[in-house]
Amino acid sequence: MDFEVIHSYIPLYTQAFLLTIKIGWIGIVIAVVIGIATAFLQHFKVPVLAQIASVYVEIFRNTPLLVQLFFIYFGLPKVGIMIPAETCGAAGLGLLGGSYMAEGFRSGLDAVSKSQTESALALGMTKVQLFRYVIFPEAFSLSVPAVVANVIFLLKETSVFSAISLMDLMFTAKDLIGLYYNTTEALFLLVIFYIIMLLPVSGLGSLIEKKTHLRTAGV
Amino acid sequence: MESNEILRVNGISKRYGDISVFEHLDLSVKKGEVVVIVGPSGCGKSTFLRCLNGLEEIQEGEVLLDGERISQNPKELSRTREKIGMVFQSYDLFPHLTILQNLTLAPVKVKKRNKKDVEKEAEELLERVGLLSKKDRYPRELSGGQKQRVAIVRALIMHPEVLLLDEITAALDPEMVKEVLDVVLSLAKEGRTMVIVTHEMQVARAAANRMIFIDGGKIVEEGEPTEFFEHPQTERLRQFLHSFSYEAE
């Protein structure tokens, strides 16, 4: 392995790293928002909207991100909708992630026991207070493990962004390999940068999980 | 009508579709009175209790608190429930809140009381049930008996006029039952109005002013505790009480 080469590649990787993180986290924020909204609609069985939410979840959960990105980036322009690659990446990740997050939040909402509702009502809480102070925070604690797992999964999924010519980590590695044949160095840096990106997230995730675990009902 | 009557139940019936849980039950509870309801499992006693604060809808009859009919309208119902405390078999503390936050949530958010005052009161009440040292813990870190004592305090801090206890020791290990019953007894002594559903005949005897035996959706017998336990009038109650006194042959 040539460390001189590695050294010279680092600025390029750093740039790609920042782009990957930027689009990745924008996508995750979109995913959380869509996920919470979808989970609400499904949990409360809002007429029509709940059905639409289910169709959305099934479509995006059961198609690969690559296919979704191709559809948005190459398919939509055919009907006159042009979207920049970065927006496509964030939107694709958000839509895919939303379907996963929805399942996570919904399982949290469903897991709050019915007797919690009764004990809150017995204290004189209104439906709104019950939801705001009891059910939502409890459901959120219960969804944390699923949400953390989804965040890590989505950050890794960003590697398919290269397919719509976004200059993310994967794109940079492939590009450099194609240009200079320094395969070992390029792949080594690729692995290192993904680990740098994900290790803090999974560490922080475990910490949050441990903290919120104490705040769930347990057995 | 007696002047110090606080809770009155007039001929309430509860049905799930065609299945009747109970029909035309009446009850009158005076201020400071402790009424204990016993009966075999599935006799409808817990459902009856849950009808008193509107957790179960009734199909017939009415429940009056302080002479006012309890409405089924959600807004009025939540206001009524502030005055009727309830403690459940499964404690149902809020797992995401500390013990102190569990106690202050409803007084602050529902009754809009000053948070500092409520916290002070919560600490005094926790001290009384021997749990002040646990105030910053989460429910998960407490034993069943401790959780149930907190649940009782959570109901008390709303200053209810009536306290409903629904089999509050049924899920506890035997050694924890006592610590909870001690609290119940001390509440009875200080003149709290309570309606208690239980299988603990000991505490029923010690705390009750009046016993009620429900079987098959009907009040089969009711009376003052000594009479009730020593000289049951009905064969059905005799059988029921007998099932609690196990004697090895």
Side-chain angles (χ1 to χ4, degrees):
Chain A
M1 205 148 43
D2 190 337
F3 283 95
E4 207 119 300
V5 173
I6 288 181
H7 189 74
S8 67
Y9 283 179
I10 285 179
L12 280 172
Y13 272 91
T14 308
Q15 218 174 2
F17 175 76
L18 294 175
L19 180 81
T20 307
I21 285 190
K22 187 180 101 187
I23 302 176
W25 280 102
I26 292 175
I28 285 165
V29 170
I30 297 172
V32 168
V33 172
I34 295 180
I36 290 177
T38 308
F40 270 49
L41 297 176
Q42 291 186 312
H43 180 77
F44 292 104
K45 303 192 174 68
V46 181
V48 187
L49 292 178
Q51 279 78 25
I52 294 173
S54 300
V55 170
Y56 154 72
V57 168
E58 292 312 327
I59 288 176
F60 281 87
R61 212 163 50 136
N62 295 308
T63 48
L65 179 58
L66 188 60
V67 172
Q68 294 165 16
L69 288 180
F70 272 26
F71 182 81
I72 301 172
Y73 191 68
F74 298 115
L76 291 184
K78 303 268 184 247
V79 291
I81 305 168
M82 303 281 276
I83 303 169
E86 286 193 16
T87 315
C88 275
L93 200 65
L95 286 166
L96 171 79
S99 67
Y100 277 83
M101 294 288 185
E103 292 295 287
F105 288 124
R106 193 165 65 101
S107 69
L109 281 170
D110 292 347
V112 177
S113 74
K114 192 172 167 273
S115 57
Q116 285 284 307
T117 300
E118 294 193 336
S119 76
L121 290 178
L123 285 165
M125 283 191 212
T126 60
K127 280 262 163 71
V128 176
Q129 290 170 329
L130 158 74
F131 200 80
R132 181 162 159 211
Y133 301 120
V134 178
I135 295 184
F136 189 69
E138 255 190 83
F140 201 80
S141 296
L142 289 164
S143 333
V144 163
V147 171
V148 170
N150 285 340
V151 167
I152 293 170
F153 159 78
L154 290 173
L155 284 175
K156 286 191 288 193
E157 280 293 290
T158 56
S159 59
V160 307
F161 285 171
S162 57
I164 54 167
S165 65
L166 262 173
M167 287 164 79
D168 75 326
L169 285 169
M170 195 69 197
F171 186 93
T172 306
K174 282 198 281 191
D175 211 27
L176 289 171
I177 292 169
L179 284 170
Y180 306 113
Y181 301 109
N182 290 319
T183 314
T184 319
E185 289 78 5
L187 290 179
F188 173 73
L189 276 174
L190 184 63
V191 170
I192 294 297
F193 270 92
Y194 269 113
I195 289 176
I196 293 174
M197 177 162 85
L198 285 157
L199 207 56
V201 177
S202 61
L204 189 69
S206 306
L207 203 73
I208 297 172
E209 270 177 52
K210 228 176 256 164
K211 280 224 145 141
T212 52
H213 180 69
L214 196 60
R215 302 175 186 203
T216 56
V219 186
Chain B
M1 190 176 124
E2 292 173 65
S3 60
N4 58 351
E5 181 183 68
I6 191 159
L7 189 71
R8 180 169 195 92
V9 178
N10 286 333
I12 63 168
S13 303
K14 173 74 196 172
R15 298 178 204 110
Y16 295 107
D18 292 338
I19 302 158
S20 163
V21 183
F22 52 76
E23 297 284 334
H24 309 296
L25 288 188
D26 298 309
L27 175 73
S28 164
V29 182
K30 279 181 255 168
K31 207 169 164 56
E33 199 177 19
V34 178
V35 176
V36 175
I37 303 174
V38 295
S41 297
C43 71
K45 55 190 191 301
S46 280
T47 311
F48 176 69
L49 203 63
R50 294 157 56 81
C51 289
L52 301 186
N53 69 346
L55 282 182
E56 296 280 350
E57 233 177 290
I58 48 178
Q59 275 66 48
E60 230 179 308
E62 57 177 6
V63 180
L64 304 156
L65 180 72
D66 282 330
E68 261 181 74
R69 190 192 166 128
I70 294 177
S71 131
Q72 305 270 1
N73 167 305
K75 251 221 167 95
E76 289 174 46
L77 199 52
S78 38
R79 216 156 296 144
T80 307
R81 283 173 178 148
E82 292 176 33
K83 299 183 210 157
I84 306 180
M86 185 160 190
V87 185
F88 301 85
Q89 178 178 336
S90 49
Y91 344 117
D92 285 298
L93 298 180
F94 305 127
H96 60 293
L97 301 177
T98 64
I99 299 306
L100 194 64
Q101 289 166 339
N102 259 280
L103 300 180
T104 54
L105 180 65
V108 172
K109 301 297 180 192
V110 176
K111 286 195 140 178
K112 316 282 179 208
R113 286 177 56 195
N114 176 291
K115 195 170 172 204
K116 282 269 168 311
D117 296 346
V118 180
E119 277 178 357
K120 192 163 162 280
E121 189 184 346
E123 285 174 3
E124 285 164 9
L125 286 166
L126 280 176
E127 171 94 76
R128 196 181 137 179
V129 298
L131 291 172
L132 185 56
S133 62
K134 306 282 185 197
K135 68 173 178 154
D136 295 320
R137 297 300 180 100
Y138 286 92
R140 207 188 169 109
E141 301 174 279
L142 269 59
S143 73
Q146 292 171 334
K147 279 190 258 198
Q148 196 58 294
R149 281 182 278 160
V150 173
I152 294 173
V153 170
R154 187 176 62 175
L156 286 178
I157 201 167
M158 291 297 283
H159 306 151
E161 293 175 31
V162 183
L163 202 54
L164 311 176
L165 308 182
D166 186 12
E167 304 209 32
I168 61 167
T169 56
L172 297 176
D173 290 339
E175 65 258 44
M176 292 172 186
V177 170
K178 191 178 177 304
E179 63 189 50
V180 171
L181 292 184
D182 283 343
V183 176
V184 175
L185 264 182
S186 81
L187 292 176
K189 283 201 185 108
E190 69 177 43
R192 289 263 169 197
T193 314
M194 293 192 276
V195 183
I196 304 174
V197 164
T198 186
H199 284 292
E200 297 290 333
M201 293 302 146
Q202 300 282 356
V203 78
R205 219 170 171 152
N209 300 116
R210 186 147 51 97
M211 295 294 307
I212 291 178
F213 175 57
I214 296 184
D215 188 22
K218 285 193 200 72
I219 293 180
V220 175
E221 189 166 339
E222 67 175 295
E224 173 277 324
T226 319
E227 274 298 296
F228 184 89
F229 286 106
E230 306 292 336
H231 309 290
Q233 301 296 306
T234 57
E235 182 54 31
R236 188 66 196 91
L237 177 57
R238 254 193 295 275
Q239 281 172 358
F240 176 73
L241 291 175
H242 187 69
S243 66
F244 285 87
S245 55
Y246 175 81
E247 280 164 44
E249 287 177 17

